[in-house]
Amino acid sequence: MKYAPLLLLVTVAVLIALPWLVSGSMLNAAVQMLISALFAMAFGLLCGQAGMLSFGHAAYFGVGAFAAVHAMNAFGGEGLLPTPLLPLVGGASGLVSGLLAGYFSTKRTGVYFAMITLALAELLHALAPHLKTVFGGEAGVSSFRMPAWGIGFGSLNDVYFLTLVWTLVSIGLLYLFSKTPLGRLALGLRENAHRLRFLGYNTHALGTLIFAISAMFAGIAGALQSMNIEAANYVVLESHISTAVVLNSFIGGVRVFLGPAIGGAVMTFFGHVSSDLTRVWLLYQGIIFVLVMMFLPRGIVGELVERIRNPSGEGLARTISTLLARLASLAIAAFGAVFLIEFLQRVLSPEYRAGVTEGNWPDIALFSYDWAPLSVLPWAFGLGLFGFGIALVIMVNRRVAARKEAQA
Amino acid sequence: MSTPILSLQHVHKSFGPAHIIRDANLDVLPGERHAVIGPNGAGKSTLFHLCSGQFAPTEGKILLNGKNIAGLKPAEVNRRGLARSFQITNIFPGVTVFENLRLAVMRKHNLQFVFWRSAARLRLVNEEVDDLLTKIRLTERAQTLASQLSYSEQRSLEIGMTLASDPQVILLDEPMAGMSHEETDYTAGLIREITEGRTLLIVEHDMSVVFSLAHRISVLVYGEIIATGTPEEIRGNARVKEAYLGEEAA
C-alpha cells in the first residue's frame, strides 16, 4: 500500500478539477455521489467498525436535512450560521438524535439492535406527515441558499465545492477517529463486547457514543442533501433510503475504511446513468448486490485490498491477464442477461400489450435492431450470449485452478 | 494468618430450583496461588462467575480487600482489581495481537471515551503492551490477527489480557484445557512467572499442574467447599479422597 498517499492525492486533485472536466448533469451526479459516499461512511463507522447493523439510518440523514433547511430559513445564511457552516446544524441534530436513539437501541445487539433502529426510523417516518410545522406535510419545507463569505452559492459549481469540502473533511475526521482510543474500542465492540465488559469497559456507553457519532455524520450528509436541492421532504425518512445505504456500504466493503464511500459513489453513479437508460434499473441494482455478496463477500474494495495484501503468487502480468479474461467473459454474459431482461421488460410492458391485436405481435426495437417477440431468435441470442459468457468464466477459472495445482 | 484478599462468606447461588453453590466459604490469601478443584458440575465455573460479576449470588458476601463486591457488574469488579480469563478462549479474533492487548491496557489508563488523541501516540500504553508481549512471549506475533494464532498462543494472549489491568487478583478458568503436555508445561511456567507478586485463583483439571503450582487447594463438591489446605494436606484428606481423588491419588 505504498502508493496509497499518491493515489489519494490524485483522487482529490481530480475531484477539485471535476467542474472543468464534466458536464453540468454529470457534476450534479457528482454532488449526489459525494453525499451518498459520506452517508455510507457514517453508516460504515457503525456497521463496519463497531459491528452494529442499523436498518434505520435514514432517520438521522433526514433529521440533518430538515434541521439544515430550518436553519437556512431562520438565519438567511447570515450571522451566526452563514451558508457554508449550515452542515454543522445537520451534524448537531444528528448527534443529539443519535444519542437518544443510540441509548435505547444499543441496549440490545444483533438482530434486536437492527429491529429497534428500524422501528425508530419507521416511527419517525410515520409521524412526520402529521407534524406539518416541522416536516411541512406533503409539500415539505423549502428554502434558498443565500450568499455568504463573498460566495454566491447560486451556481452548481459553488454547491459542488461546498459538498466536496464537507465530504472530504468529514471523511478525514472519520479516519482520524478510527485511530483514537474510542475508535479502537469500536473494533473491540464488534469483535467481542463480552470481553470488553470484563476488561472494565462500559459497553453500553461506548455503543451509544459511537452510534451518536455515526448519526452525526449521517446528519451532515443529510444537511448537504437539503442544501443541494434547497428543500427537504419527509420522503428522505423512507426506509428505502435506509436500505440503500446498507446495500451501498456492503457492495463497497463495509470493513475497509473507504469501502462504503466507494460503494455509495459507484452505486449512485450507476443509478444516475442507468435510470436514464432503463426502467428496471432497481432490478439491476438488486442483482449487483446479490452477485457481489455471493462472489465478493468482502465488497469490491475489500476484495481489492485483500488481493493486494495477499497476491496470488502468479506475478503481476498473469494476474492482470486473468483478471481481464474474467472481466471480458463476464461482460459477454452481462450483455446477454441485459438483453434478455430488457426484451422481456418490453414484451411485458402495458404499452406493448395494448398494441397487440388479434395475435399480431409487432416487432420490438432493442439495441438498434427490430426483433420479433414470437420468433426464437431474440431469446436464443440473449440466452446464447449469457451461456457463452458463463462458459468462458468457468473455463478461465478451471485454467487458474489447474495452474495452481501444477504449482503445488 | 494475614487477612484474606478475597473472601467468600456463606455464598449461595440458585438458578430456579437448582441450588448450585451451597454455603461456600473460601479465603484466598494475598500473594498465594490458590487452586479450586472438584468433579465436573461441582460449580467451579459458577464460583468464578460469582467472583467476577457475571452472576450475583443469591445469598452471602464476597469481599475483595474487605469490601463487598457481590452483585457488582463485571466492569466494576475489574476496576477494583480482580481480572479473569475464560474457559472458552475469549479474545478479539479479528484484530491483531497488539490491538488485543492495547484494548486491554487502555482501560487502566482511563482511556475509554477519548476521541481527541491518537492511540498510536499513547507512549505509556504502547510500552506496557510491549512489556506484556514480552511476558507472554508473543512479541514476534504482535501484528498477527488473533484468530490466526495457535490454540496455546491464544490462551497466552488471553492470560496477557487478564494481566493488562495490573490486577491484584487473577482468576484463571482452566487455562490448560485442551493443551498438549508440552503446551501445559509451557503455560504452567508462564503462569508462575506472571503471577509473581499477585494473587491467583485457578480452576484446573490437570492434577499434576494443580499440585505443583498451587500453594493451597480448595475442593469444591456439589457447591460446597469440603476442604482447604496445602497440596500434602489435600492428598491426605480422607473426605477428598472419597469424594473426588479416589484411587488415582491414593
Side-chain angles (χ1 to χ4, degrees):
Chain A
M1 304 302 291
K2 270 189 300 202
Y3 302 109
L6 187 71
L7 197 65
L8 199 66
L9 214 66
V10 171
T11 310
V12 172
V14 169
L15 285 173
I16 290 172
L18 206 63
W20 293 277
L21 300 175
V22 299
S23 68
S25 144
M26 254 325 150
L27 197 62
N28 207 2
V31 172
Q32 294 294 334
M33 285 161 70
L34 287 171
I35 291 170
S36 70
L38 175 56
F39 186 28
M41 287 301 288
F43 173 82
L45 164 64
L46 189 66
C47 181
Q49 295 182 43
M52 293 184 269
L53 174 56
S54 161
F55 271 124
H57 247 44
Y60 318 103
F61 186 80
V63 164
F66 275 99
V69 161
H70 285 297
M72 254 200 285
N73 283 333
F75 289 88
E78 293 168 337
L80 276 176
L81 270 173
T83 305
L85 295 185
L86 280 171
L88 285 179
V89 181
S93 59
L95 182 70
V96 172
S97 55
L99 277 174
L100 210 68
Y103 177 83
F104 293 105
S105 48
T106 58
K107 277 184 183 284
R108 293 285 173 272
T109 54
V111 176
Y112 307 102
F113 169 83
M115 290 301 117
I116 297 172
T117 55
L118 178 63
L120 287 174
E122 284 306 299
L123 182 76
L124 189 64
H125 178 238
L127 209 60
H130 302 287
L131 300 172
K132 283 218 165 93
T133 47
V134 184
F135 296 100
E138 292 280 335
V141 184
S142 52
S143 182
F144 291 102
R145 286 186 306 269
M146 296 307 238
W149 297 357
I151 307 166
F153 292 111
S155 73
L156 181 56
N157 272 15
D158 293 351
V159 175
Y160 172 76
F161 281 113
L162 178 79
T163 311
L164 179 64
V165 168
W166 271 98
T167 303
L168 289 183
V169 168
S170 299
I171 292 179
L173 286 174
L174 279 166
Y175 179 74
L176 292 177
F177 175 79
S178 75
K179 302 287 174 196
T180 66
L182 184 58
R184 303 324 280 174
L185 282 165
L187 300 181
L189 216 49
R190 177 188 81 196
E191 292 296 321
N192 193 343
H194 177 253
R195 190 64 171 120
L196 271 192
R197 273 194 287 284
F198 279 89
L199 288 171
Y201 291 101
N202 182 345
T203 49
H204 182 219
L206 284 172
T208 305
L209 205 54
I210 289 163
F211 190 102
I213 290 169
S214 166
M216 178 176 87
F217 284 102
I220 293 175
L224 290 171
Q225 158 91 351
S226 62
M227 288 177 74
N228 176 33
I229 60 175
E230 302 183 296
N233 187 291
Y234 77 90
V235 292
V236 296
L237 300 168
E238 273 179 6
S239 57
H240 74 84
I241 308 271
S242 298
T243 325
V245 75
V246 176
L247 301 189
N248 291 349
S249 304
F250 274 88
I251 288 174
V254 79
R255 288 268 181 112
V256 278
F257 183 71
L258 280 177
I262 308 271
V266 166
M267 291 316 282
T268 307
F269 180 76
F270 177 81
H272 178 82
V273 173
S274 61
S275 62
D276 283 346
L277 295 176
T278 171
R279 278 187 219 173
V280 289
W281 62 282
L282 278 172
L283 174 67
Y284 291 119
Q285 216 168 24
I287 292 174
I288 289 176
F289 178 71
V290 172
L291 289 179
V292 168
M293 286 299 101
M294 279 175 73
F295 297 105
L296 307 169
R298 293 188 185 91
I300 297 168
V301 183
E303 206 66 35
L304 210 64
V305 169
E306 181 66 20
R307 288 289 158 85
I308 293 170
R309 277 194 194 146
N310 302 316
S312 62
E314 292 204 302
L316 193 63
R318 255 281 156 73
T319 311
I320 288 181
S321 73
T322 309
L323 182 70
L324 288 180
R326 271 202 188 118
L327 285 178
S329 327
L330 280 174
I332 295 171
F335 183 76
V338 167
F339 184 90
L340 276 181
I341 291 171
E342 289 301 317
F343 199 69
L344 196 63
Q345 181 257 320
R346 279 166 177 72
V347 173
L348 295 176
S349 71
E351 294 93 322
Y352 180 79
R353 310 286 292 205
V356 177
T357 42
E358 293 172 20
N360 176 28
W361 298 65
D363 284 358
I364 294 170
L366 182 59
F367 297 115
S368 63
Y369 283 97
D370 288 332
W371 308 84
L374 293 185
S375 145
V376 84
L377 194 68
W379 306 104
F381 177 69
L383 265 177
L385 275 182
F386 179 70
F388 180 59
I390 296 295
L392 280 179
V393 173
I394 292 171
M395 212 171 75
V396 172
N397 286 349
R398 284 215 179 126
R399 278 206 186 159
V400 172
R403 272 210 302 274
K404 267 193 189 146
E405 211 159 300
Q407 266 179 357
Chain B
M1 201 166 133
S2 53
T3 45
I5 188 162
L6 179 69
S7 172
L8 277 70
Q9 296 176 357
H10 304 290
V11 171
H12 291 259
K13 178 67 186 177
S14 306
F15 295 95
H19 202 171
I20 304 295
I21 301 292
R22 312 156 183 240
D23 198 35
N25 289 286
L26 175 67
D27 282 340
V28 182
L29 304 177
E32 76 170 339
R33 292 194 292 266
H34 196 123
V36 177
I37 62 173
N40 285 329
K44 300 184 296 294
S45 283
T46 306
L47 202 68
F48 266 30
H49 287 325
L50 291 172
C51 294
S52 63
Q54 177 100 321
F55 302 144
T58 316
E59 238 181 88
K61 278 186 187 170
I62 301 172
L63 303 178
L64 180 66
N65 278 321
K67 291 195 184 99
N68 195 4
I69 57 163
L72 288 185
K73 284 184 180 150
E76 290 163 352
V77 174
N78 180 285
R79 297 293 285 157
R80 290 180 186 220
L82 184 148
R84 69 166 297 184
S85 76
F86 291 83
Q87 194 175 342
I88 297 157
T89 309
N90 201 341
I91 54 178
F92 304 108
V95 296
T96 62
V97 171
F98 185 90
E99 194 70 60
N100 267 271
L101 290 171
R102 179 158 67 188
L103 288 174
V105 169
M106 282 194 317
R107 186 67 187 103
K108 189 180 123 197
H109 296 275
N110 250 324
L111 293 161
Q112 184 165 205
F113 307 117
V114 174
F115 55 84
W116 51 88
R117 294 175 66 183
S118 157
R121 296 213 188 126
L122 302 165
R123 203 173 45 81
L124 263 179
V125 170
N126 292 326
E127 276 173 19
E128 275 178 43
V129 171
D130 286 338
D131 276 357
L132 280 172
L133 281 169
T134 317
K135 269 188 194 149
I136 59 172
R137 306 166 198 168
L138 284 180
T139 308
E140 306 271 293
R141 307 284 266 160
Q143 295 308 320
T144 310
L145 288 185
S147 58
Q148 287 170 5
L149 293 179
S150 73
Y151 179 69
S152 74
E153 283 174 325
Q154 288 187 350
R155 302 298 304 190
S156 298
L157 176 59
E158 166 107 49
I159 293 173
M161 287 164 71
T162 310
L163 213 59
S165 61
D166 198 12
Q168 295 170 284
V169 182
I170 300 176
L171 270 54
L172 298 181
D173 195 354
E174 295 195 29
M176 279 83 157
M179 281 190 183
S180 68
H181 276 301
E182 282 158 42
E183 289 172 332
T184 301
D185 287 347
Y186 175 85
T187 307
L190 190 66
I191 290 173
R192 214 180 284 271
E193 251 172 64
I194 56 141
T195 52
E196 205 62 50
R198 302 176 208 274
T199 309
L200 171 72
L201 186 62
I202 182 172
V203 166
E204 183 52 54
H205 275 298
D206 189 323
M207 283 308 128
S208 63
V209 170
V210 166
F211 280 91
S212 69
L213 191 69
H215 298 124
R216 291 201 305 153
I217 299 172
S218 291
V219 183
L220 187 71
V221 178
Y222 292 120
E224 229 181 314
I225 304 274
I226 60 165
T228 295
T230 63
E232 289 72 38
E233 286 166 4
I234 293 299
R235 262 202 196 94
N237 187 309
R239 259 189 96 189
V240 175
K241 268 190 199 167
E242 179 197 339
Y244 179 44
L245 291 174
E247 298 307 310
E248 195 186 328

